[in-house]
Structures are given as C-alpha cells and as structure tokens.
Amino acid sequence: MTIITTARGARIGYDEFGDSSAPPLVLIQGFSAQRLGWRPGFCERLADAGFRVIRFDNRDVGQSQRYPAGGYGVTDMALDVIDLLDALGLDTVHIIGQSMGGMIAQFVVEEHPSRVRSLGLLYTAASTRHFIGADAVIDRADAAPATREEFVAFYPASEAMCASTAYPQDVAWLTEVAGPIWDNGFDPDGVARQLQAVLAFTDRLDEARAIAVPTAILAGSNDRLIDSAASVELHELIAGSTLQVFPGMGHELPEPLWNEIVDALARNARLADARTGVTNHA
C-alpha cells in the first residue's frame, strides 16, 4: 500500500495489481468502502486480462485525506480522482466505479472527458430517485463500533443488505477483511461526511446523455440499495452502452460471476483501446 500526496496537498492511499506498463484501469469504491473492498482475486483477474489495476481510498476513508469540515460533494470526489491521475502521471485511464463510485465516475468523464478511455458502471445511478435502501444505509452509517473486536463482528452483519439471492454472500471473507479495514483507518465521522455528499447528489440525466466513451453497465436484479432500473436508465441515456443485469445478484460482486463481469468490463475497455491503437493487453 502506498500513500501519495497530490499537487493540492491531499493524501490518497492506493495500491496496484498487474504490469505497470499495461493500460491503466482505476477502480472507484462506493459509499463508506475502502479500497480493500475490491477483492484481490477480482483485481488480479482484471490484471490477468491485461490491465494495470489501481484501487484507492476515497477521501474520508482508509488511508486517504480527512476533511473534518465536510461540505464537499461528489464532484469534489471526482476531482480527487483527477488529482490522483496527475500524481501518478496518467493522462488517460479506464475507469470502473461501483455504487457511489459509479456516480463519481460519471462526474469524472462528464467534467474531464479527455482523461477517460472507457467507463464501467456497476450498480449505480444518475438519479437519487433510484435509491431504495437509503434508510438502511443511514442506519449503518449511524452505527459506530468503538473497538476493533466490535467492528469485526459489525462489518459482516452490516454488509447483509448487499447480499445476493442467487449467490451466497462470502461472510468468511467479510469477516477476514474487517480487521484490516479497521487497521487501515475506520472513521465513522468520515463516513457520515461521505453520506452527506451522496445524499446531496443531484440528478445528472442530461450530463449522462453526453457521455461518449465506450460504457459497460452492470447491475443485479435483486439489488436492495439501488434499483436495477437505474442501470436500465443509464443504458438508455448513454449512446452505444452495453447493459447486463444479472439475475439474483445484489449490491455486490459474487465470486461465481467474476469471470462474466471481468469479461464484460475488459471487452469494453479493449474496444476503447482498439479505437486508439492500444494493443498491449494480455
């Protein structure tokens, strides 16, 4: 794990998988989630598909900068992504965002289109009217374990709302990663500030219509936090996008679907790179 300081003086914690000379692919996490939530096996499959995979902590979680004054929005979190690219010397990248991360990704490509090669949007939305689990998310944000032991017990239970119906949730892994998440910097105040940013998100329907990069949209039919109708709407708004709604998938990436999910995202990214002559994929 590495902490880099951006030109504006903010710290961002990140790490990488794969060949450093491969086309870069940046993973953006969702609300309250640290980069550790992108499972290493999933990242490694993306790396095996021929990408330099970069995962990072959004502001106010994990090893990244805290903003105690709050008052920021999703657009500021998108600017953090641009700052990270600048700090890493990356002109253009593929971007995949899940949930809130997909909202951040939309801002990135809408406000800085020249920096994005392709877009992967996982169970996300361009409008808050598709949020169907807001109360559950708020309840989770209000729960603040005081010790590492309490958090290790709390975290798997808090993720139950994301579970799929067709695939068992990997509670063993959630329990295993809970300790490192605590050690990496669990901050309930930071989570509360992120929540305010998400709840202040304004509809971006017109902006989504302007997205012109190859876009793959994936969702689960049994998502209890963001209705899969949000992904259908994004597909209708973004010309040329592809859409896959996985039956029985929730607000998570079940391991039995990793091959299909990675194939869809990699295919979309390769399409974008083919248009610009990039050929160094696995």
PDB file of all heavy atoms in Angstrom, residues 166-198:
ATOM      1  N   ALA A 166     -29.255 -15.188  -5.329  1.00  0.00           N
ATOM      2  CA  ALA A 166     -28.877 -16.374  -6.098  1.00  0.00           C
ATOM      3  C   ALA A 166     -27.490 -16.886  -5.751  1.00  0.00           C
ATOM      4  O   ALA A 166     -27.104 -17.974  -6.195  1.00  0.00           O
ATOM      5  CB  ALA A 166     -28.953 -16.076  -7.593  1.00  0.00           C
ATOM      6  N   TYR A 167     -26.744 -16.119  -4.956  1.00  0.00           N
ATOM      7  CA  TYR A 167     -25.377 -16.495  -4.626  1.00  0.00           C
ATOM      8  C   TYR A 167     -25.155 -16.248  -3.143  1.00  0.00           C
ATOM      9  O   TYR A 167     -25.542 -15.199  -2.619  1.00  0.00           O
ATOM     10  CB  TYR A 167     -24.371 -15.667  -5.441  1.00  0.00           C
ATOM     11  CG  TYR A 167     -24.623 -15.722  -6.925  1.00  0.00           C
ATOM     12  CD1 TYR A 167     -25.434 -14.763  -7.540  1.00  0.00           C
ATOM     13  CD2 TYR A 167     -24.094 -16.749  -7.699  1.00  0.00           C
ATOM     14  CE1 TYR A 167     -25.698 -14.821  -8.902  1.00  0.00           C
ATOM     15  CE2 TYR A 167     -24.344 -16.814  -9.062  1.00  0.00           C
ATOM     16  CZ  TYR A 167     -25.157 -15.857  -9.651  1.00  0.00           C
ATOM     17  OH  TYR A 167     -25.420 -15.931 -10.995  1.00  0.00           O
ATOM     18  N   PRO A 168     -24.507 -17.189  -2.456  1.00  0.00           N
ATOM     19  CA  PRO A 168     -24.258 -16.975  -1.018  1.00  0.00           C
ATOM     20  C   PRO A 168     -23.261 -15.846  -0.805  1.00  0.00           C
ATOM     21  O   PRO A 168     -22.255 -15.740  -1.515  1.00  0.00           O
ATOM     22  CB  PRO A 168     -23.689 -18.324  -0.564  1.00  0.00           C
ATOM     23  CG  PRO A 168     -23.111 -18.939  -1.801  1.00  0.00           C
ATOM     24  CD  PRO A 168     -23.982 -18.490  -2.930  1.00  0.00           C
ATOM     25  N   GLN A 169     -23.538 -15.012   0.173  1.00  0.00           N
ATOM     26  CA  GLN A 169     -22.596 -13.956   0.499  1.00  0.00           C
ATOM     27  C   GLN A 169     -21.379 -14.561   1.193  1.00  0.00           C
ATOM     28  O   GLN A 169     -21.511 -15.456   2.024  1.00  0.00           O
ATOM     29  CB  GLN A 169     -23.254 -12.899   1.386  1.00  0.00           C
ATOM     30  CG  GLN A 169     -22.435 -11.631   1.521  1.00  0.00           C
ATOM     31  CD  GLN A 169     -23.211 -10.497   2.151  1.00  0.00           C
ATOM     32  OE1 GLN A 169     -23.900 -10.704   3.149  1.00  0.00           O
ATOM     33  NE2 GLN A 169     -23.125  -9.304   1.587  1.00  0.00           N
ATOM     34  N   ASP A 170     -20.208 -14.075   0.838  1.00  0.00           N
ATOM     35  CA  ASP A 170     -18.966 -14.629   1.384  1.00  0.00           C
ATOM     36  C   ASP A 170     -18.686 -14.008   2.755  1.00  0.00           C
ATOM     37  O   ASP A 170     -17.846 -13.115   2.903  1.00  0.00           O
ATOM     38  CB  ASP A 170     -17.807 -14.370   0.422  1.00  0.00           C
ATOM     39  CG  ASP A 170     -16.592 -15.233   0.735  1.00  0.00           C
ATOM     40  OD1 ASP A 170     -16.492 -15.710   1.884  1.00  0.00           O
ATOM     41  OD2 ASP A 170     -15.744 -15.419  -0.154  1.00  0.00           O
ATOM     42  N   VAL A 171     -19.381 -14.506   3.757  1.00  0.00           N
ATOM     43  CA  VAL A 171     -19.254 -13.964   5.108  1.00  0.00           C
ATOM     44  C   VAL A 171     -17.854 -14.208   5.666  1.00  0.00           C
ATOM     45  O   VAL A 171     -17.322 -13.387   6.415  1.00  0.00           O
ATOM     46  CB  VAL A 171     -20.337 -14.573   6.025  1.00  0.00           C
ATOM     47  CG1 VAL A 171     -20.174 -14.077   7.458  1.00  0.00           C
ATOM     48  CG2 VAL A 171     -21.730 -14.227   5.501  1.00  0.00           C
ATOM     49  N   ALA A 172     -17.250 -15.313   5.275  1.00  0.00           N
ATOM     50  CA  ALA A 172     -15.897 -15.607   5.763  1.00  0.00           C
ATOM     51  C   ALA A 172     -14.918 -14.533   5.312  1.00  0.00           C
ATOM     52  O   ALA A 172     -14.072 -14.071   6.096  1.00  0.00           O
ATOM     53  CB  ALA A 172     -15.447 -16.983   5.275  1.00  0.00           C
ATOM     54  N   TRP A 173     -15.016 -14.136   4.048  1.00  0.00           N
ATOM     55  CA  TRP A 173     -14.119 -13.087   3.565  1.00  0.00           C
ATOM     56  C   TRP A 173     -14.440 -11.751   4.221  1.00  0.00           C
ATOM     57  O   TRP A 173     -13.523 -10.994   4.592  1.00  0.00           O
ATOM     58  CB  TRP A 173     -14.209 -12.938   2.054  1.00  0.00           C
ATOM     59  CG  TRP A 173     -13.323 -11.827   1.566  1.00  0.00           C
ATOM     60  CD1 TRP A 173     -11.964 -11.862   1.415  1.00  0.00           C
ATOM     61  CD2 TRP A 173     -13.718 -10.493   1.241  1.00  0.00           C
ATOM     62  NE1 TRP A 173     -11.495 -10.632   0.998  1.00  0.00           N
ATOM     63  CE2 TRP A 173     -12.549  -9.779   0.879  1.00  0.00           C
ATOM     64  CE3 TRP A 173     -14.953  -9.847   1.200  1.00  0.00           C
ATOM     65  CZ2 TRP A 173     -12.591  -8.448   0.501  1.00  0.00           C
ATOM     66  CZ3 TRP A 173     -14.996  -8.514   0.816  1.00  0.00           C
ATOM     67  CH2 TRP A 173     -13.821  -7.831   0.470  1.00  0.00           C
ATOM     68  N   LEU A 174     -15.720 -11.422   4.383  1.00  0.00           N
ATOM     69  CA  LEU A 174     -16.100 -10.170   5.032  1.00  0.00           C
ATOM     70  C   LEU A 174     -15.548 -10.108   6.453  1.00  0.00           C
ATOM     71  O   LEU A 174     -15.102  -9.052   6.912  1.00  0.00           O
ATOM     72  CB  LEU A 174     -17.624 -10.022   5.043  1.00  0.00           C
ATOM     73  CG  LEU A 174     -18.289  -9.803   3.676  1.00  0.00           C
ATOM     74  CD1 LEU A 174     -19.802  -9.905   3.799  1.00  0.00           C
ATOM     75  CD2 LEU A 174     -17.885  -8.463   3.083  1.00  0.00           C
ATOM     76  N   THR A 175     -15.568 -11.243   7.136  1.00  0.00           N
ATOM     77  CA  THR A 175     -15.010 -11.298   8.486  1.00  0.00           C
ATOM     78  C   THR A 175     -13.495 -11.132   8.448  1.00  0.00           C
ATOM     79  O   THR A 175     -12.904 -10.434   9.283  1.00  0.00           O
ATOM     80  CB  THR A 175     -15.385 -12.629   9.158  1.00  0.00           C
ATOM     81  OG1 THR A 175     -16.815 -12.759   9.183  1.00  0.00           O
ATOM     82  CG2 THR A 175     -14.845 -12.699  10.576  1.00  0.00           C
ATOM     83  N   GLU A 176     -12.873 -11.760   7.463  1.00  0.00           N
ATOM     84  CA  GLU A 176     -11.412 -11.690   7.332  1.00  0.00           C
ATOM     85  C   GLU A 176     -10.931 -10.277   7.029  1.00  0.00           C
ATOM     86  O   GLU A 176      -9.915  -9.826   7.567  1.00  0.00           O
ATOM     87  CB  GLU A 176     -10.971 -12.640   6.221  1.00  0.00           C
ATOM     88  CG  GLU A 176      -9.490 -12.605   5.910  1.00  0.00           C
ATOM     89  CD  GLU A 176      -9.131 -13.480   4.708  1.00  0.00           C
ATOM     90  OE1 GLU A 176      -9.880 -14.434   4.433  1.00  0.00           O
ATOM     91  OE2 GLU A 176      -8.121 -13.184   4.048  1.00  0.00           O
ATOM     92  N   VAL A 177     -11.652  -9.551   6.170  1.00  0.00           N
ATOM     93  CA  VAL A 177     -11.198  -8.231   5.755  1.00  0.00           C
ATOM     94  C   VAL A 177     -11.571  -7.146   6.760  1.00  0.00           C
ATOM     95  O   VAL A 177     -11.025  -6.042   6.722  1.00  0.00           O
ATOM     96  CB  VAL A 177     -11.762  -7.879   4.357  1.00  0.00           C
ATOM     97  CG1 VAL A 177     -13.238  -7.461   4.421  1.00  0.00           C
ATOM     98  CG2 VAL A 177     -10.925  -6.803   3.669  1.00  0.00           C
ATOM     99  N   ALA A 178     -12.480  -7.453   7.680  1.00  0.00           N
ATOM    100  CA  ALA A 178     -12.941  -6.435   8.629  1.00  0.00           C
ATOM    101  C   ALA A 178     -11.792  -5.887   9.473  1.00  0.00           C
ATOM    102  O   ALA A 178     -11.691  -4.660   9.676  1.00  0.00           O
ATOM    103  CB  ALA A 178     -14.038  -7.013   9.527  1.00  0.00           C
ATOM    104  N   GLY A 179     -10.931  -6.768   9.972  1.00  0.00           N
ATOM    105  CA  GLY A 179      -9.797  -6.317  10.784  1.00  0.00           C
ATOM    106  C   GLY A 179      -8.890  -5.375  10.036  1.00  0.00           C
ATOM    107  O   GLY A 179      -8.558  -4.280  10.536  1.00  0.00           O
ATOM    108  N   PRO A 180      -8.434  -5.739   8.820  1.00  0.00           N
ATOM    109  CA  PRO A 180      -7.604  -4.821   8.052  1.00  0.00           C
ATOM    110  C   PRO A 180      -8.300  -3.496   7.730  1.00  0.00           C
ATOM    111  O   PRO A 180      -7.635  -2.453   7.684  1.00  0.00           O
ATOM    112  CB  PRO A 180      -7.298  -5.615   6.772  1.00  0.00           C
ATOM    113  CG  PRO A 180      -7.327  -7.047   7.223  1.00  0.00           C
ATOM    114  CD  PRO A 180      -8.433  -7.104   8.243  1.00  0.00           C
ATOM    115  N   ILE A 181      -9.615  -3.519   7.521  1.00  0.00           N
ATOM    116  CA  ILE A 181     -10.340  -2.267   7.281  1.00  0.00           C
ATOM    117  C   ILE A 181     -10.232  -1.371   8.518  1.00  0.00           C
ATOM    118  O   ILE A 181      -9.978  -0.168   8.414  1.00  0.00           O
ATOM    119  CB  ILE A 181     -11.810  -2.548   6.916  1.00  0.00           C
ATOM    120  CG1 ILE A 181     -11.891  -3.116   5.497  1.00  0.00           C
ATOM    121  CG2 ILE A 181     -12.660  -1.287   7.040  1.00  0.00           C
ATOM    122  CD1 ILE A 181     -13.295  -3.561   5.091  1.00  0.00           C
ATOM    123  N   TRP A 182     -10.422  -1.963   9.696  1.00  0.00           N
ATOM    124  CA  TRP A 182     -10.277  -1.186  10.931  1.00  0.00           C
ATOM    125  C   TRP A 182      -8.859  -0.624  11.047  1.00  0.00           C
ATOM    126  O   TRP A 182      -8.651   0.550  11.337  1.00  0.00           O
ATOM    127  CB  TRP A 182     -10.609  -2.062  12.139  1.00  0.00           C
ATOM    128  CG  TRP A 182     -10.389  -1.379  13.455  1.00  0.00           C
ATOM    129  CD1 TRP A 182      -9.223  -1.310  14.169  1.00  0.00           C
ATOM    130  CD2 TRP A 182     -11.351  -0.624  14.197  1.00  0.00           C
ATOM    131  NE1 TRP A 182      -9.398  -0.574  15.318  1.00  0.00           N
ATOM    132  CE2 TRP A 182     -10.702  -0.140  15.359  1.00  0.00           C
ATOM    133  CE3 TRP A 182     -12.704  -0.336  14.015  1.00  0.00           C
ATOM    134  CZ2 TRP A 182     -11.356   0.630  16.320  1.00  0.00           C
ATOM    135  CZ3 TRP A 182     -13.359   0.431  14.968  1.00  0.00           C
ATOM    136  CH2 TRP A 182     -12.690   0.901  16.097  1.00  0.00           C
ATOM    137  N   ASP A 183      -7.870  -1.488  10.790  1.00  0.00           N
ATOM    138  CA  ASP A 183      -6.473  -1.076  10.913  1.00  0.00           C
ATOM    139  C   ASP A 183      -6.109   0.002   9.890  1.00  0.00           C
ATOM    140  O   ASP A 183      -5.259   0.862  10.151  1.00  0.00           O
ATOM    141  CB  ASP A 183      -5.549  -2.281  10.723  1.00  0.00           C
ATOM    142  CG  ASP A 183      -5.778  -3.361  11.769  1.00  0.00           C
ATOM    143  OD1 ASP A 183      -6.294  -3.051  12.855  1.00  0.00           O
ATOM    144  OD2 ASP A 183      -5.437  -4.535  11.479  1.00  0.00           O
ATOM    145  N   ASN A 184      -6.753  -0.057   8.730  1.00  0.00           N
ATOM    146  CA  ASN A 184      -6.440   0.877   7.650  1.00  0.00           C
ATOM    147  C   ASN A 184      -6.975   2.279   7.937  1.00  0.00           C
ATOM    148  O   ASN A 184      -6.542   3.240   7.312  1.00  0.00           O
ATOM    149  CB  ASN A 184      -7.033   0.350   6.337  1.00  0.00           C
ATOM    150  CG  ASN A 184      -6.241   0.761   5.119  1.00  0.00           C
ATOM    151  OD1 ASN A 184      -5.031   0.885   5.168  1.00  0.00           O
ATOM    152  ND2 ASN A 184      -6.943   0.966   4.018  1.00  0.00           N
ATOM    153  N   GLY A 185      -7.933   2.368   8.866  1.00  0.00           N
ATOM    154  CA  GLY A 185      -8.444   3.685   9.225  1.00  0.00           C
ATOM    155  C   GLY A 185      -9.947   3.792   9.171  1.00  0.00           C
ATOM    156  O   GLY A 185     -10.487   4.543   8.338  1.00  0.00           O
ATOM    157  N   PHE A 186     -10.661   3.064  10.030  1.00  0.00           N
ATOM    158  CA  PHE A 186     -12.111   3.202  10.106  1.00  0.00           C
ATOM    159  C   PHE A 186     -12.440   4.507  10.818  1.00  0.00           C
ATOM    160  O   PHE A 186     -11.973   4.767  11.917  1.00  0.00           O
ATOM    161  CB  PHE A 186     -12.727   2.019  10.850  1.00  0.00           C
ATOM    162  CG  PHE A 186     -14.210   2.180  11.084  1.00  0.00           C
ATOM    163  CD1 PHE A 186     -15.089   2.133  10.026  1.00  0.00           C
ATOM    164  CD2 PHE A 186     -14.709   2.398  12.358  1.00  0.00           C
ATOM    165  CE1 PHE A 186     -16.462   2.293  10.228  1.00  0.00           C
ATOM    166  CE2 PHE A 186     -16.067   2.555  12.578  1.00  0.00           C
ATOM    167  CZ  PHE A 186     -16.942   2.498  11.510  1.00  0.00           C
ATOM    168  N   ASP A 187     -13.261   5.331  10.171  1.00  0.00           N
ATOM    169  CA  ASP A 187     -13.558   6.667  10.695  1.00  0.00           C
ATOM    170  C   ASP A 187     -15.044   6.957  10.515  1.00  0.00           C
ATOM    171  O   ASP A 187     -15.474   7.380   9.435  1.00  0.00           O
ATOM    172  CB  ASP A 187     -12.715   7.701   9.944  1.00  0.00           C
ATOM    173  CG  ASP A 187     -12.912   9.118  10.462  1.00  0.00           C
ATOM    174  OD1 ASP A 187     -13.800   9.330  11.302  1.00  0.00           O
ATOM    175  OD2 ASP A 187     -12.177  10.013  10.004  1.00  0.00           O
ATOM    176  N   PRO A 188     -15.876   6.742  11.539  1.00  0.00           N
ATOM    177  CA  PRO A 188     -17.321   6.967  11.396  1.00  0.00           C
ATOM    178  C   PRO A 188     -17.674   8.408  11.052  1.00  0.00           C
ATOM    179  O   PRO A 188     -18.671   8.654  10.356  1.00  0.00           O
ATOM    180  CB  PRO A 188     -17.888   6.553  12.758  1.00  0.00           C
ATOM    181  CG  PRO A 188     -16.727   6.533  13.686  1.00  0.00           C
ATOM    182  CD  PRO A 188     -15.529   6.208  12.871  1.00  0.00           C
ATOM    183  N   ASP A 189     -16.882   9.370  11.505  1.00  0.00           N
ATOM    184  CA  ASP A 189     -17.157  10.764  11.151  1.00  0.00           C
ATOM    185  C   ASP A 189     -16.935  10.992   9.657  1.00  0.00           C
ATOM    186  O   ASP A 189     -17.708  11.711   9.002  1.00  0.00           O
ATOM    187  CB  ASP A 189     -16.262  11.705  11.960  1.00  0.00           C
ATOM    188  CG  ASP A 189     -16.614  11.708  13.442  1.00  0.00           C
ATOM    189  OD1 ASP A 189     -17.776  11.401  13.770  1.00  0.00           O
ATOM    190  OD2 ASP A 189     -15.721  12.012  14.255  1.00  0.00           O
ATOM    191  N   GLY A 190     -15.892  10.373   9.119  1.00  0.00           N
ATOM    192  CA  GLY A 190     -15.646  10.484   7.688  1.00  0.00           C
ATOM    193  C   GLY A 190     -16.749   9.835   6.884  1.00  0.00           C
ATOM    194  O   GLY A 190     -17.183  10.357   5.843  1.00  0.00           O
ATOM    195  N   VAL A 191     -17.230   8.687   7.357  1.00  0.00           N
ATOM    196  CA  VAL A 191     -18.343   8.003   6.682  1.00  0.00           C
ATOM    197  C   VAL A 191     -19.580   8.896   6.670  1.00  0.00           C
ATOM    198  O   VAL A 191     -20.284   8.989   5.662  1.00  0.00           O
ATOM    199  CB  VAL A 191     -18.629   6.660   7.380  1.00  0.00           C
ATOM    200  CG1 VAL A 191     -19.944   6.064   6.876  1.00  0.00           C
ATOM    201  CG2 VAL A 191     -17.479   5.684   7.144  1.00  0.00           C
ATOM    202  N   ALA A 192     -19.850   9.569   7.777  1.00  0.00           N
ATOM    203  CA  ALA A 192     -21.005  10.469   7.853  1.00  0.00           C
ATOM    204  C   ALA A 192     -20.872  11.611   6.843  1.00  0.00           C
ATOM    205  O   ALA A 192     -21.864  12.027   6.221  1.00  0.00           O
ATOM    206  CB  ALA A 192     -21.143  11.022   9.267  1.00  0.00           C
ATOM    207  N   ARG A 193     -19.658  12.108   6.663  1.00  0.00           N
ATOM    208  CA  ARG A 193     -19.456  13.186   5.692  1.00  0.00           C
ATOM    209  C   ARG A 193     -19.643  12.682   4.266  1.00  0.00           C
ATOM    210  O   ARG A 193     -20.219  13.391   3.421  1.00  0.00           O
ATOM    211  CB  ARG A 193     -18.072  13.805   5.882  1.00  0.00           C
ATOM    212  CG  ARG A 193     -17.916  14.544   7.206  1.00  0.00           C
ATOM    213  CD  ARG A 193     -16.632  15.337   7.271  1.00  0.00           C
ATOM    214  NE  ARG A 193     -15.432  14.519   7.347  1.00  0.00           N
ATOM    215  CZ  ARG A 193     -14.862  14.119   8.482  1.00  0.00           C
ATOM    216  NH1 ARG A 193     -15.414  14.426   9.653  1.00  0.00           N
ATOM    217  NH2 ARG A 193     -13.749  13.408   8.458  1.00  0.00           N
ATOM    218  N   GLN A 194     -19.176  11.472   3.983  1.00  0.00           N
ATOM    219  CA  GLN A 194     -19.439  10.884   2.668  1.00  0.00           C
ATOM    220  C   GLN A 194     -20.937  10.737   2.425  1.00  0.00           C
ATOM    221  O   GLN A 194     -21.430  10.980   1.318  1.00  0.00           O
ATOM    222  CB  GLN A 194     -18.767   9.513   2.551  1.00  0.00           C
ATOM    223  CG  GLN A 194     -17.323   9.546   2.154  1.00  0.00           C
ATOM    224  CD  GLN A 194     -16.844   8.175   1.676  1.00  0.00           C
ATOM    225  OE1 GLN A 194     -17.599   7.200   1.622  1.00  0.00           O
ATOM    226  NE2 GLN A 194     -15.578   8.094   1.313  1.00  0.00           N
ATOM    227  N   LEU A 195     -21.666  10.325   3.452  1.00  0.00           N
ATOM    228  CA  LEU A 195     -23.109  10.139   3.314  1.00  0.00           C
ATOM    229  C   LEU A 195     -23.783  11.446   2.907  1.00  0.00           C
ATOM    230  O   LEU A 195     -24.664  11.461   2.039  1.00  0.00           O
ATOM    231  CB  LEU A 195     -23.704   9.617   4.620  1.00  0.00           C
ATOM    232  CG  LEU A 195     -25.224   9.414   4.630  1.00  0.00           C
ATOM    233  CD1 LEU A 195     -25.645   8.409   3.579  1.00  0.00           C
ATOM    234  CD2 LEU A 195     -25.683   8.966   6.017  1.00  0.00           C
ATOM    235  N   GLN A 196     -23.372  12.541   3.513  1.00  0.00           N
ATOM    236  CA  GLN A 196     -23.952  13.831   3.148  1.00  0.00           C
ATOM    237  C   GLN A 196     -23.669  14.158   1.682  1.00  0.00           C
ATOM    238  O   GLN A 196     -24.515  14.730   0.990  1.00  0.00           O
ATOM    239  CB  GLN A 196     -23.404  14.922   4.070  1.00  0.00           C
ATOM    240  CG  GLN A 196     -23.862  14.799   5.509  1.00  0.00           C
ATOM    241  CD  GLN A 196     -25.376  14.698   5.631  1.00  0.00           C
ATOM    242  OE1 GLN A 196     -26.108  15.525   5.078  1.00  0.00           O
ATOM    243  NE2 GLN A 196     -25.852  13.689   6.353  1.00  0.00           N
ATOM    244  N   ALA A 197     -22.485  13.801   1.205  1.00  0.00           N
ATOM    245  CA  ALA A 197     -22.146  14.055  -0.198  1.00  0.00           C
ATOM    246  C   ALA A 197     -23.046  13.247  -1.121  1.00  0.00           C
ATOM    247  O   ALA A 197     -23.527  13.752  -2.147  1.00  0.00           O
ATOM    248  CB  ALA A 197     -20.680  13.725  -0.451  1.00  0.00           C
ATOM    249  N   VAL A 198     -23.291  11.982  -0.756  1.00  0.00           N
ATOM    250  CA  VAL A 198     -24.142  11.125  -1.583  1.00  0.00           C
ATOM    251  C   VAL A 198     -25.576  11.644  -1.594  1.00  0.00           C
ATOM    252  O   VAL A 198     -26.227  11.729  -2.653  1.00  0.00           O
ATOM    253  CB  VAL A 198     -24.107   9.671  -1.088  1.00  0.00           C
ATOM    254  CG1 VAL A 198     -25.110   8.818  -1.841  1.00  0.00           C
ATOM    255  CG2 VAL A 198     -22.708   9.089  -1.239  1.00  0.00           C
TER     256      VAL A 198
END
